Amino acid sequence: MMLQMSQISTSFGRPRIARSGHNDTYFANDNVTRRWWRLCPSLLPSLHASFFRISNSSKEEAVNTKPPVIRATDNQLNLADIDSVKVIGKGNGGIVQLVRHKWTGQFFALKVIQMNILESVCKQIVRELKINQSSQCPFVVVCYQCFYDNGAISIVLEYMDGGSLADLLKKVRTIPESYLAAICKQVLKGLIYLHHEKHIIHRDLKPSNILINHRGEVKISDFGVSVILSKSSGQQDTFIGTYNYMSPERISCSNHGYVSDIWSLGLVMLESATGQFPYPPADNFYELLVAVVEQPSPCPPPDQFSQEFCSFISACLQKSPNDRQSANKLLKHPFLSMYDDLNIDLGAYFTNAGSPLATF
């Protein structure tokens, strides 16, 4: 009578077998096992080996099993579960640290902002940050969790191992048009998401708030943080963000909308192409603000850049917001598609630039 292995295991349960120590014979420990031993004694050695392999395999799997990767939607991060690695940035009222989760080994960026205001106001800010930063967009940095702890607001963000566009510019000084077009596409897609899905004006778009990684991804960071923090200090909405990249209508205290971010984008792209801030150095920030409002918009030297790039910058840096194009329209601009046939590899470009944040 022949029995399959599956029949034995399902019909009689897992057998308990022990060596007799004499001529490699086996004996059964109970009546059930004796039944199939009498039916198929030749299977005992192979069954015995199989059971030991299964047992050892299960032990190895248990040892190698790691906790599942934390996702932004899990809402399970705790400050006590992360270890600080090093400080990777400063600004906007706080510091940014590279941190590592103790159990999963994941890296995150932890932004800590000290707040000298009532605890109830801080908790309200945390609630608003959670709402504003609950993004699921591949062109916006993921916010995993926000905390209020010991007088500070802590924001756990996706870690971008290439640093920021500002870090990249320190390494390469200027970025070729072909790579700028690929970078700008992703930034515009992030702005489209913020403007039309989240109904958020960034208000502080600049090279240090555009982050990159070794996979060639470009993501917008710090959206919504400045405007929320201003509510706690009573600062006017007009002067939220970095003055250098502020649009003329904001400086003039006029009504401003989503296209104020487009002005900032134009300055960032022009700075990235030329290697210097588009406006000449000023003795103080008031001189800069006057120059932005009263002087003609900056433009790239036409003898050094393509007509398409010059046209794109002009579309971004129209003094009147009514003449400035939206992110949706700019995404269709010829400059962004003129290098498509080159199959630009941003990941290789960022990696070869050797960001100081990529190793630690």
Side-chain angles (χ1 to χ4, degrees):
M1 178 179 179
M2 299 296 293
L3 292 177
Q4 299 296 323
M5 182 80 72
S6 59
Q7 290 177 302
I8 295 172
S9 59
T10 57
S11 301
F12 304 106
R14 176 173 175 172
R16 295 191 297 275
I17 307 169
R19 285 180 180 271
S20 67
H22 180 67
N23 296 328
D24 287 335
T25 57
Y26 292 79
F27 65 88
N29 294 327
D30 54 36
N31 292 330
V32 173
T33 311
R34 290 191 189 96
R35 289 176 56 199
W36 60 261
W37 178 71
R38 286 195 298 268
L39 293 172
C40 46
S42 61
L43 287 179
L44 282 175
S46 59
L47 280 173
H48 185 262
S50 297
F51 294 145
F52 272 102
R53 283 197 299 270
I54 293 171
S55 177
N56 292 334
S57 175
S58 299
K59 289 178 182 178
E60 290 175 4
E61 289 178 4
V63 171
N64 295 328
T65 299
K66 290 184 177 180
V69 171
I70 296 173
R71 299 171 297 179
T73 54
D74 292 340
N75 198 31
Q76 293 180 351
L77 270 175
N78 192 305
L79 287 177
D81 294 334
I82 55 179
D83 291 325
S84 177
V85 178
K86 67 177 180 178
V87 174
I88 57 176
K90 296 180 181 180
N92 203 13
I95 63 170
V96 182
Q97 302 175 59
L98 174 63
V99 298
R100 185 171 187 171
H101 194 266
K102 294 176 180 178
W103 316 122
T104 67
Q106 284 174 266
F107 287 100
F108 299 98
L110 176 66
K111 183 162 191 172
V112 182
I113 306 171
Q114 293 294 330
M115 304 294 293
N116 297 317
I117 54 176
L118 292 175
E119 181 176 341
S120 59
V121 178
C122 280
K123 290 182 177 179
Q124 174 62 27
I125 291 173
V126 168
R127 284 193 290 269
E128 292 188 40
L129 281 171
K130 287 182 177 180
I131 294 171
N132 281 352
Q133 299 208 0
S134 59
S135 66
Q136 298 297 320
C137 174
F139 308 105
V140 170
V141 171
V142 175
C143 176
Y144 284 84
Q145 188 61 279
C146 299
F147 307 94
Y148 172 72
D149 180 63
N150 197 25
I153 291 177
S154 299
I155 308 171
V156 183
L157 300 164
E158 173 185 9
Y159 173 56
M160 298 290 283
D161 60 10
S164 69
L165 198 60
D167 297 320
L168 178 65
L169 288 171
K170 290 176 184 177
K171 287 284 185 179
V172 301
R173 200 179 78 79
T174 62
I175 301 175
E177 276 192 30
S178 56
Y179 292 105
L180 269 183
I183 290 170
C184 196
K185 277 183 189 177
Q186 297 190 52
V187 176
L188 282 171
K189 290 176 181 178
L191 286 177
I192 289 171
Y193 174 80
L194 293 181
H195 293 169
H196 300 289
E197 297 292 330
K198 304 295 287 186
H199 307 290
I200 292 174
I201 305 172
H202 191 290
R203 292 182 174 88
D204 197 20
L205 192 66
K206 56 186 177 182
S208 59
N209 282 339
I210 297 174
L211 306 186
I212 61 178
N213 64 25
H214 72 279
R215 293 186 296 273
E217 296 172 337
V218 181
K219 303 192 180 190
I220 299 174
S221 180
D222 265 13
F223 60 92
V225 174
S226 297
V227 68
I228 291 172
L229 296 183
S230 71
K231 292 179 181 178
S232 66
S233 61
Q235 186 181 7
Q236 287 189 356
D237 178 71
T238 302
F239 290 98
I240 298 163
T242 305
Y243 299 129
N244 297 42
Y245 301 90
M246 197 174 290
S247 65
E249 65 270 20
R250 290 184 60 199
I251 294 172
S252 303
C253 299
S254 304
N255 291 332
H256 63 277
Y258 301 131
V259 291
S260 63
D261 286 340
I262 300 302
W263 174 276
S264 304
L265 173 65
L267 292 183
V268 169
M269 291 297 111
L270 185 52
E271 179 179 356
S272 300
T274 62
Q276 58 187 10
F277 185 67
Y279 286 94
D283 292 334
N284 54 67
F285 80 94
Y286 291 107
E287 287 186 8
L288 172 62
L289 300 186
V290 170
V292 172
V293 173
E294 296 183 356
Q295 293 181 10
S297 300
C299 59
D303 60 330
Q304 299 178 27
F305 297 93
S306 69
Q307 182 180 353
E308 289 83 357
F309 179 71
C310 294
S311 171
F312 179 85
I313 296 299
S314 176
C316 292
L317 298 182
Q318 291 295 309
K319 298 291 281 288
S320 170
N322 295 327
D323 297 331
R324 215 173 295 147
Q325 292 189 17
S326 67
N328 265 320
K329 288 185 178 179
L330 284 172
L331 196 57
K332 301 174 184 177
H333 194 281
F335 167 64
L336 298 183
S337 58
M338 66 181 295
Y339 297 104
D340 283 352
D341 59 339
L342 297 182
N343 296 318
I344 296 299
D345 186 351
L346 280 180
Y349 179 66
F350 294 155
T351 302
N352 291 336
S355 167
L357 299 184
T359 57
F360 45 87

